[in-house]
Structures are given as structure tokens and as C-alpha cells.
Amino acid sequence: MQELLSRIGSYGFFDEYTKHDISHIDAMLEKLDWLIPPHCRELMTSADWLLIVLATYFHDLGMLVTKDEYARRSESGFERFRDEVLLTQDDSGKDYAARLTHLGADDRERFLYQEFVRHHHATRVKNWIEGEENRQVGVTDGMREEVQRILSPVTDIFRDDLAKVCESHHLDDLYDEHKYPVAQFYGQNEQESANVQYSAVLLRTIDLLHITQDRVPSIAFRVLNPTDPISQDEWAKQSAVRAVKPKWGTDSEGNLSEAAHRDTISVHARFTEGNGFFGLTSYLSYAEAQLRKSNEWISRSNQTLGTKLTFPWKHVDTAKVEAKGFLTETFGFKLDQAKVLDLLTGHTLYNDPSVVVRELLQNSIDAIRLQHGDRSELDGKVQISWDSEARTLEVLDNGSGMTQEIIENNLLRAGSSRYQDPQFRKSHPNFHPISRFGIGVLSTFMVADNVEIITCHPDEKDARQLSLRSVHGKYLVRLLNKSQDVPREILPHGTLVRLTVRPSAKVDDVLRIAKGWIVVPRCNVDVVIDRKEPENIGFKSVGDALRSSLLESGYLSEDLNGQKVRIVERDSDGLSIAYAVGWNNYFKEWGFLLRPQRDPYVQRRGGQAGTCVEGIRVEATAPGFQSSGGIWAFVNAYGPSAPRTNVARSALDSSHEYKVLLERIYSAYCGHITEEVNLLQTERSYSLTWATGEAAFLATPLMRDNAPPKSAAALRESMKDIPLFVLEESDERRQASAKHLDQFETIYTMESAAAEHIEYLLRELPSTASRTSLLKELGGHDSGIPENIPLLCTRLGSRGVVDDFFYSSWQIAEVHGSVSHRRCDFKWIKTTQDPRWSGSDLTETNLRFLLTNDARSYRSSAKSNLVRIPIGDVTISGLSDYFGVVAGNIRYLLPNHPWAPMVDRILDGEEDISPYDDRLMALSWLIASATHSRSRNHEIGELKSTARRSGLAELVDIDEFSSIAESSDIAYFDTRRWNRNAVDDSYL
């Protein structure tokens, strides 16, 4: 075991500052001498001591990394952890990445893998002890086998408890006496029993407190300070902590006494630089919070389970943590409670008084779901009432109600949500609340100074009434007789909240406000306005909500027979989605119905859409998009996988759950397109060619400029599954997606009038024939395309989703032309290989200004018709009389083009030049502009002026470029040139 521990820190992992060898184990065991109170040392059994000692030896063994494991890191969950936990796309992840820029590429990768192991090391050693294989936390077969050999003498049940204790020092569930039993027997003798919870608390504590000299605890940096790994690093490197000792308690006269009760641990450290000081103090705040938790957990077990072992430690004294050259006094933020409450109840947080209605309603709905469970839809009732004359707003529910303890600990404690309490979550593991911040009741003071709450709980003899007059005031709780003074609607359980709304507060249309928030409440919600008949709001499903939206907007009538609009609804694994589709009678397909973005009729009549969490609408935009003008749809995420909202509930948090939600939304949209393509063939008698061609048109609503996606990367990944392409392999014709194309190394395309006309024929006829076979049958020219390489038959050049996916992944490696047959064959390879051509998008360069009004004369050509310049090996045949070729809608210069000497000078001496090098892209733009002009001499003069004015002349010798442009006759070979109506001949 000592030999294994000594290897931690080898191979470049945990080698700079963190020791995990036998000296670390000895130091931790020494802390047990003063950490365990004397009377507890006498009560502890042999099994207790064996468990804590073995756990001390094994707990950090998971930080051992071998060369083989690191070499096979891609087989583990490292890459996902790196991208989704550390280097996330949110602000925290970007800040974290920025602070690692001082590291080289290899050191950065090792550091990130080190953090991956650090994060999972407790799980790793647990798996090794239990003998389980889990490659998500690393490829560690050899270590698992060695640990199994070492622990072979002990029993399975003891080994399981040892595994739990080792893992526990990185978990937050030590309160769970079922997982960590306080009286676990391994035999008949009393000495063969152990308090597993106590051992887990001790291990967690000695690991937290071993921070002296050159040793940092194994807690992940991001737990302490997500954006500051450098401070943690500096703390470690400075070897500043001299001692961690118990602090003497005080006697009855306030004097320090060794015999007095001790509950505080003192840390002695001295820093010469601020970063290390910040790192340690940040950590000690975390450590103190953990001590308090451990104290509470053991105290609770003493009270409820009768255990005798105690854990007195609750505080960390940092008075002896100093920074040389700084003032001895440390300073920190202090909260002005009154002003913080003003911020929470003012417009800074919410910016919208109508959220009061939402907060009260979702509190009621949570209470109903907690009380009634699966019967909420039948038995749960919420009623919101608005009296415009008295300006009173009431929200009443027959939910769980509140006890005195809940009132004190949650209702009147800002930021304390009952539903986030560990004990509550343990008791209700399958309950997923809407509320989670514990500030809902504060929102009432945005609009009211008089708030009355009456609540009734079955466990309490009396009901309770609170009268709140100010957010800064004190409150009295009045006891009410349940049989006399409580509204019958909240008996035997429920809550009534009544507000008297200030005259200055704008709470206009309560019914409209409630409808806007409440979509799928899973209980009965009624709204009563000025004592009129109640109106039920909310829907059974997102499909019903969408149907109502379409009816209100006039896009759907009550009679659905023969309708050209229908609703598709899907529900699985915590996500419900409903989207509207319209029937195209000519093309016989259901395409997405788009919500008019600025149609006043739709806005006036309703026409809602949006994304909900637990049935409450959070976003009013089209699900998955940043605009309300996208696909007309409703989405509801529920259960443990639902994303969380920000504090104001105005948006969803950028998190892994949110990323998965977007992926599933996009997957549903793309799944509909794929299903329609299949139905066109199987049920609507269209050819494979026709059906596949329709996929691009059906996908168009997903890529509208006026409705950008929330995650372009996630949308793109989902769209890779749509069958956008037609392939031929060995005369067999079939559909293919972008993801399917990725499996090939090489693809051919063929451009000719004959091939294009055959495609039109195959589109119209439900035939199984292939283009290749028809060309042979009709005596067409055979260029010798290898039979074992797929032929892409989908026409390029539409500038739509097909071009976008193909051109972004593939580049031309060979061009074989036949002028006499007006045909050109292209061999394509992956763009991930050596780049053969200059880039295609100015937005990827420093030349974005060419897309602004300053260069508006050339904006069109600069944005979509950049010439691609060869910068790598490209094989050409049959086109000796041409300087360029057109593939799809993109113009490619051939290696013999007139500007080749200028390109050679750019490439000369450059290794791995970027296709988006500013010099290349400037030349590409200039050539595109010059060769697109009809009256070139006049245009080139203007182009030179633009180049000098915009700074392009600093990248390109504009005089040399202009001289070549004026003296050269650029001819592009384009197979559509012989169709007078098919192509713009201005550059031919």
C-alpha cells in the first residue's frame, strides 16, 4: 500500500505540490488524536478504528494516474467532463479557460485531466474496492485488480462500508444513516460493530484539515472558486500553512482554558503574496461550512438514534492567517439586510410586478403536488381572486400548508427554500418543485404593504395567521381555531395569501397575467375577477395549450375535420413538446407552421408559445430559438432532468440540463422532417429523389435569419440526422444524412447537363434506377469514377442547408473536366485533412468590415461568392484552357490562375497556414470582386480605391493585383454555361 501511495504524483500529475504518500496518511492519523474527544476514543470499537484507519489509507488512492491510463483518456468520460464541467460555454467556463492560457497545450491537457481525476478520485477508489469496472472515470483495470488483492482478507460487507466511507469525503450525504449505518455489525462481538457515519465524518474532516506545508486537500478547485484556479495554485506553491490545531475553549469567566469545551480549529499561516491568501481563505470558508454540517449530522444521530460518539467542531479561526506587506486586519463585504431586502422586493431583480402572481401561484402548485401527488389533477385546487375596487389579490390552495417550523425556517427566511433542504430531499426524492430560491413571498412587497397569510397543516392543532406590514418589520403569528376561524377551502390543509395592492402598483389584467404564466399546472387553477364566475386556466398538456393558441389566433377552427393545420405532440423522459404543422396540398407534406413575429392580429388575439419548466412558462420565444417568430410550439420540461431558471425566472440557466433540453427539442423537430421524408416515399407515392429533395425545404424554418437558435451547435448536430442527400454506391441509390456522409473518406460529385436532366427524370419517376445506370444505358460519357466510392447525386448550389452541411465538411482534392461532354467530376475529401483551399467566410477573419456599408458595392460577392484559392495539392485534368471551375455555386481557381505567384509568396516559408489567413482572404475577396464585374476596367479602378481606403492594400500588393486583373481574361469552366437561362455569365 505504501508503494502505491508513493506513486501518486508520478507522470506529471499532482506532482507540483500535493503529497499523497505515507507522510500524508501519518499526518491525517495524527489529527485523530485531538479531533476525537477523549471519551469517544474510549467508546470506539476495534471495527471503528479499523474502518477509519483503512479509509485514511485508501481514500486518496484514486488520484494515482498511470501512463497507460492517460494515454487512453479518450476512452473515458474525460472529454465530456472537460467540455461540460470545466470548459463550459457559459461565463464561468470561459473565465476558467482564460486563466489557463499561461499553460502550454500539453500542460493544459494534463492539468485538465488532473482535475478530471481529482473530481472523480473518490468514485474511482470506491469502484476499485468494490471490484466494479467504470471506464467513465478512467481506464484503470490494473488498479482495480491490485486493490482487490490487497483487501481479499476482509468480508464483503466491511469492504462495502469501506468503499462508502472512502467515497464519502467528496459527497454531501453523510446525514443519511441508512447509507452510513450508526450500528453496523460484522460479527457477534461488540468490538465487531462500527459507526460508519462517524468514520465518514472523521475522514472528511481530517482530509479537509490536512493543509499544512506543501499539501493541498483533494477538493476540486471549481468547488471553491470556479473562476480562479491560479489562486489555489499559488496557495499550494507557497507552502504557507504552518499548523492546524484545536483552539482552547473559554471558561465561565471568558478565559482560555485547556479544560473548557472546544469547538474551534485554528489555522496558522503566512503568505508573501495575495493570490495564495485568497486561495486559502476561500477554502477555509468552505471547510468551516463542512464542519458545521458534520456537527449537525452527528448531533442529529445522537438525538434520534441514541449514539454516543460526538463531534464538537463547528468553527475555523483565521486570525493567524496573515499576508506579509498587507494590513493585519482583513476586510470583507458586509450585508445591509434592509437594503438587500429592498433589492429583492424592488425592480432590480424582477423588473415586472406581474411576477407576484406567478410566484404565489407556483408556490401553491408546489404545495398541491407535494400534498396530493399523482392525484393533484383530480384533487388539487388553486383559486386566484382579484377585486379591482378593494384592490385585493387572493391566492388560495388546498396544498400541504405550513407548520410553525416551516414558517420560521423557510417562509420568513429569505433564500431558504424548504424544497432544497437535504432532509426534505431525502424524504421526498421524487418530488421536483418549481420553487427553489426561497424568496417568493418577498415578491409580494413589490406591489403590497399589507400581506396576510392563513395556513393550515394537519400536524398542527391550530392554524396560523401572519399579518405582514413591511418587509423590514417584525411579525406576530396568531393561532386560529380550525373549526371556527379558518376558511373551509384550506381545511384540513392549505394556505391563503391575501394582498392589499398599493394604488401605485400596476397589476392590470390578472386573468391575462395568470394565463401567461400557467400552462400545464397539473391541478385545477381558477381565476375570479370582481366576484364573477371563475374561469379555469391552464391545460392538460402542451398540445392542448398549443391548440388553444392556434384557435385564439384564428389559425385553427373548432372543427378539425379537413383542417390544413394539425398539432404533433410527443412526451417522454421528462419532456413534452407540441408543435404545429401545416399541410401543403401541392407537395403533400406537413411543414412547420411559423408564428408570425410582428403580426398585430396574432399578438392581439393571443397566439402564445414558449418553454415551460414544471408547467410554468419561463420563455415566451419559440422553443429552441431566440425569437418569437420561429416554429409555433410549446415545450414543458419536468422531473429531475429539467433545467433550472435564473433567480428572476426570466430565462433558463446555461447548464448541462439546458443543453440536453435544447438537443431534445431540435431532435424532435428534425425527427419530424425525417418522418415526413419517409412518408413521402412509403405512403404518398413519391420517389426517393423527390422525397429527399423535400428535406431541405422542410428544414428551412430551422435556419431563419430572423429566428436564430439558442444553440447553433446543438441544432446543427441534430440536423446531421436529416436525410438531405442522395448517394449512389455500386448502382444502388439511397438516402444519406450528413452524419452518414462522415463515415466516408472520399466522395465524388458529377456536374453535367445530362446528369442534371437525369436527376429531374428520377425525381419524377418512382423508379429504382440509378443515375449511373441510366447514363450507361443512354450512352453517356463514363469518366471512370471508381465503383467503390459513393457518388453524391444531390445538386449543390442552392445556398441552403444542403450546401451548408456539405461544403463545411468536404473539400475538392481532384477535378476532372471534359469540355467536349460539358461535364466535370470532382473528388472530395474531408476538410479535417490538410486544407487545400482558402476559406469561404469573411466572418471568420479580421476582414468582417468588408461586409459593412463601407464596402456595400461588393457586399454580395464578399458574403457569398468568395473565390476559393488553391493552397494545397489539387489534381487537375482536362481543363488546360481554364483558370477556374465552378462546383455548385462556388468558384474555385485552378493552380494555373494568374495570381498564383502572389499566392506562392504568401505561402512561402509558412507551415500549416490557416485557410483564413487575412492575406489569402483579402486576395480571395479582391479576385471575386474583379472577376464578377461586367465593365471590369472601370470597376477595378474603384476596387483599388476601396482597397486602399479599407486597408486591404497593407495585406495585398494592390498594384500587382490590379495589373494582373486588367491584363488577364479569367475563364471559369461551368457545366451550366451552355444553358443560357441558368447562370450569370458576367464572370465567364
Side-chain angles (χ1 to χ4, degrees), residues 448-696:
D449 291 321
N450 187 347
V451 181
E452 180 182 352
I453 301 173
I454 299 175
T455 186
C456 184
H457 194 283
D459 292 347
E460 305 255 331
K461 175 184 176 182
D462 300 307
R464 274 141 174 81
Q465 179 185 31
L466 291 85
S467 296
L468 317 179
R469 295 293 182 270
S470 166
V471 72
H472 302 299
K474 300 291 184 180
Y475 314 126
L476 293 174
V477 176
R478 179 185 178 190
L479 299 180
L480 300 180
N481 187 302
K482 289 184 179 181
S483 61
Q484 299 177 9
D485 304 322
V486 178
R488 60 180 179 81
E489 291 86 355
I490 63 172
L491 290 173
H493 44 73
T495 300
L496 167 67
V497 179
R498 180 183 295 115
L499 319 179
T500 302
V501 178
R502 290 191 296 268
S504 61
K506 294 182 179 179
V507 181
D508 301 321
D509 189 340
V510 172
L511 178 60
R512 179 187 59 81
I513 291 171
K515 283 184 174 181
W517 295 119
I518 306 300
V519 180
V520 188
R522 302 209 306 270
C523 65
N524 293 296
V525 180
D526 290 333
V527 179
V528 177
I529 304 297
D530 292 332
R531 301 183 183 85
K532 297 177 183 177
E533 286 296 313
E535 180 170 341
N536 190 261
I537 65 171
F539 304 93
K540 299 289 185 182
S541 67
V542 288
D544 289 345
L546 183 57
R547 181 174 289 104
S548 175
S549 177
L550 292 168
L551 286 169
E552 287 182 358
S553 303
Y555 278 78
L556 197 66
S557 66
E558 293 289 354
D559 180 13
L560 296 181
N561 295 325
Q563 286 289 306
K564 294 184 178 181
V565 173
R566 69 182 178 91
I567 294 168
V568 180
E569 186 171 6
R570 307 181 191 279
D571 190 334
S572 67
D573 299 329
L575 177 69
S576 298
I577 182 170
Y579 52 84
V581 290
W583 178 251
N584 188 312
N585 202 40
Y586 291 101
F587 291 92
K588 308 299 181 185
E589 62 196 18
W590 291 99
F592 293 114
L593 187 65
L594 301 179
R595 184 169 179 262
Q597 193 167 11
R598 294 183 176 86
D599 187 336
Y601 181 77
V602 171
Q603 300 298 328
R604 185 171 61 252
R605 295 287 300 276
Q608 294 181 353
T611 302
C612 310
V613 174
E614 295 293 345
I616 308 299
R617 191 162 66 154
V618 178
E619 296 180 343
T621 60
F625 297 92
Q626 299 180 36
S627 165
S628 59
I631 293 174
W632 211 330
F634 265 112
V635 162
N636 182 38
Y638 57 91
S641 61
R644 294 184 171 188
T645 69
N646 61 15
V647 179
R649 302 185 202 277
S650 59
L652 295 169
D653 275 349
S654 179
S655 62
H656 173 67
E657 289 78 12
Y658 184 47
K659 178 183 177 183
V660 172
L661 172 65
L662 291 175
E663 289 172 352
R664 296 184 67 190
I665 291 172
Y666 299 143
S667 180
Y669 295 152
C670 294
H672 171 78
I673 296 170
T674 301
E675 185 177 292
E676 280 298 297
V677 170
N678 292 332
L679 289 173
L680 283 169
Q681 298 173 74
T682 58
E683 295 185 7
R684 300 171 196 160
S685 303
Y686 286 99
S687 67
L688 177 147
T689 306
W690 179 298
T692 308
E694 288 304 297

Side-chain angles (χ1 to χ4, degrees), residues 34 48 95 186 210 310 322 391 411 473 504 538 579 651 653 724 727 757 768 782 795 805 857 924:
W34 57 264
D48 282 323
D95 290 343
Y186 307 109
H210 190 197
T310 61
E322 306 167 323
R391 295 189 65 77
L411 179 69
S504 61
Y579 52 84
D653 275 349
L724 295 168
L727 280 185
H757 282 85
T768 59
D782 183 4
R795 180 181 175 180
F805 274 101
S857 300
S924 170

Side-chain angles (χ1 to χ4, degrees), residues 771-783:
R771 178 204 290 185
T772 307
S773 62
L774 282 177
L775 274 173
K776 291 178 181 178
E777 188 74 23
L778 298 173
H781 173 63
D782 183 4
S783 65

Side-chain angles (χ1 to χ4, degrees), residues 763-820:
R763 178 177 181 270
E764 296 297 329
L765 300 177
S767 169
T768 59
S770 68
R771 178 204 290 185
T772 307
S773 62
L774 282 177
L775 274 173
K776 291 178 181 178
E777 188 74 23
L778 298 173
H781 173 63
D782 183 4
S783 65
I785 294 177
E787 291 188 1
N788 61 334
I789 296 180
L791 175 67
L792 181 70
C793 298
T794 302
R795 180 181 175 180
L796 301 174
S798 64
R799 299 178 183 172
V801 62
V802 171
D803 283 5
D804 180 53
F805 274 101
F806 187 76
Y807 289 136
S808 63
S809 300
W810 296 89
Q811 61 178 340
I812 294 174
E814 297 180 14
V815 181
H816 302 288
S818 175
V819 178
S820 61

Side-chain angles (χ1 to χ4, degrees), residues 700-713:
T700 301
L702 301 179
M703 303 183 70
R704 301 175 76 203
D705 290 339
N706 64 348
K710 290 290 181 69
S711 172

